[in-house]
Amino acid sequence: QSRSLEEIFDQRIARDEKIEPRDWMPEKYRKTHIRQISQHAHSEIVGMLPEGNWISRAPSMRRKVALLAKVQDEAGHGLYLYSACETLGISRDELYEQLHTGKAKYSSIFNYPTITWADIGAIGWLVDGAAIINQVPLCSTSYGPYARAMVRVCKEESFHQRQGYEIMMTLAKGTPEQKELAQDALNRWWWPSLMMLGPTDAESVHTEQSMKWKLKRKTNDELRQQFIDQTVPQADLIGLAIPDPELKWNEETGHYDFGEIDWDEFWQVVKGHGPCNKERLSARVNAWEEGEWVRDAAMAYAEKQDTKKLK
Ligand code: FAQ
């Protein structure tokens, strides 16, 4: 009795086998992976911009070296993820085009400005903190190249998170003005960091199917709760206050209860109307256009080498 390709695929997923690039997969599985992996890659690349803004103004040599390394890691993650995405049969050029024309999304969080040095601490602590919570389950996602990429990415994110938390810790025990900077950054980045983990499960259109395919291992709300439970004690430890009057430990559930997230703000940012959407996209488009001569020169050189070999 012959089984359909789809049945064989479903059984492989049920057995927790990895799906590899040359394996048969449903078209929707392929498409949804291209969507998520490419948006993840774009987020890493656009995510370099808010922090890049502070490299030349880092308060010390040591801080500058760490920030430079972190931003370089993000470039690496982006390129790594674009490669994983290409194994699904889409070209790098198409992926860039989707970003540059606004067709593909990238994480909402990178549309907020970095106005003080403390924002660099808040990004590492909160944004990388949320990214790790989201990405650790992705290390066991069903698509092989994505899962393997996530292992290395998570290790680097954990350094990023500590780098940010250490900045916040230093500011929090500094002068009253420095502590105020840290508190102000936490006030501005807290809610957008919660939004980063995506809409509520009730509003999330992709979660159900992605959970079935083991692309996602945890839902948006589960990850958000985990992030809050992990981060609140870290804020307490350095004497900063989470800007949520409704935040309260719940003995019964063993989790923090928290206030209402402004989903209207989230969707505005996702639709392109956040504080820095235009600036971020134009920075990427300009980088692409200004790099054209470099790409052309590299191609001309490669072709020349090829013709030499043929002779
Ligand atoms: N921003 O049905 P769902 C980093 C969209 S970490 C913008 O729940 P899904 C490291 C979603 O695409 C940040 N759009 O979707 C770093 C969908 O629209 P579509 C990147 C969002 O995919 C740190 C619609 O809403 N991490 O870069 C957002 O099941 C510091 C419905 O949503 C990843 O990408 C959002 N926040 O769940 C770098 C991780 N949330 O596509 C520099 C991998 C949702 O139909 C500095 N991705 N949308 O047009 C994921 O885990 C998932 O894709 C979620 C969304 C959880 C983000």
Side-chain angles (χ1 to χ4, degrees), residues 1-45:
Q1 188 187 347
S2 72
R3 290 177 301 165
S4 73
L5 287 168
E6 184 125 19
E7 278 167 355
I8 297 173
F9 174 87
D10 288 343
Q11 284 159 2
R12 292 188 63 194
I13 294 280
R15 285 195 300 268
D16 267 340
E17 276 177 37
K18 292 280 176 260
I19 306 301
E20 296 297 338
R22 289 191 181 83
D23 297 343
W24 185 89
M25 61 185 84
E27 191 51 21
K28 279 196 177 149
Y29 177 93
R30 197 179 72 85
K31 288 252 167 67
T32 205
H33 275 76
I34 292 179
R35 179 185 63 79
Q36 180 167 322
I37 301 172
S38 67
Q39 293 184 0
H40 194 166
H42 299 326
S43 303
E44 296 281 356
I45 299 299

Side-chain angles (χ1 to χ4, degrees), residues 47-59 63-64 66-68 70-71 74 112-128 160-168 171 181-182 185-186 188-189 280:
M48 295 163 75
L49 297 168
E51 289 169 295
N53 181 32
W54 279 92
I55 292 174
S56 61
R57 292 179 288 159
R63 293 292 186 208
K64 185 168 175 149
L67 182 59
L68 201 54
K70 178 186 194 289
V71 173
E74 281 150 13
Y112 291 85
T114 43
I115 55 183
T116 76
W117 169 252
D119 289 355
I120 300 305
I123 290 182
W125 175 32
L126 303 173
V127 177
D128 285 278
H160 297 170
Q161 197 268 352
R162 284 168 210 199
Q163 174 266 169
Y165 189 58
E166 206 249 341
I167 292 176
M168 293 303 261
L171 289 172
L181 274 185
L186 171 57
R188 283 180 293 105
W189 289 89
R280 301 291 183 239

Side-chain angles (χ1 to χ4, degrees), residues 35-36 39-41 43-48 51 70 74 77 103 105-110 123-124 127-128 131 134-135 138 146 157 160 195-200 203-207 210 216 220 223 266-267 270:
R35 179 185 63 79
Q36 180 167 322
Q39 293 184 0
H40 194 166
S43 303
E44 296 281 356
I45 299 299
V46 177
M48 295 163 75
E51 289 169 295
K70 178 186 194 289
E74 281 150 13
H77 298 173
K103 189 174 163 238
K105 295 189 169 77
Y106 58 85
S107 184
S108 51
I109 193 78
F110 303 117
I123 290 182
V127 177
D128 285 278
N134 163 273
Q135 286 167 193
L138 290 174
Y146 193 26
E157 301 289 28
H160 297 170
M195 295 174 195
M196 196 184 149
L197 293 154
T200 60
E203 297 287 318
S204 165
V205 286
H206 300 298
T207 294
S210 291
K216 280 170 112 163
N220 300 358
L223 295 171
F266 170 74
W267 290 114
V270 171

Side-chain angles (χ1 to χ4, degrees), residues 176-249:
E177 288 83 1
Q178 284 171 323
K179 185 164 185 186
E180 184 46 43
L181 274 185
Q183 183 62 55
D184 168 64
L186 171 57
N187 293 349
R188 283 180 293 105
W189 289 89
W190 175 253
W191 293 103
S193 298
L194 299 188
M195 295 174 195
M196 196 184 149
L197 293 154
T200 60
D201 293 351
E203 297 287 318
S204 165
V205 286
H206 300 298
T207 294
E208 197 187 341
Q209 183 56 261
S210 291
M211 293 287 282
K212 281 190 192 144
W213 277 329
K214 297 184 180 170
L215 162 53
K216 280 170 112 163
R217 293 289 192 156
K218 288 190 176 177
T219 70
N220 300 358
D221 285 335
E222 284 169 350
L223 295 171
R224 193 166 10 251
Q225 187 69 57
Q226 198 182 328
F227 173 70
I228 294 170
D229 292 347
Q230 174 184 299
T231 311
V232 174
Q234 294 173 354
D236 290 345
L237 193 70
I238 56 175
L240 296 180
I242 302 280
D244 178 358
E246 288 171 56
L247 189 78
K248 202 166 166 266
W249 177 253

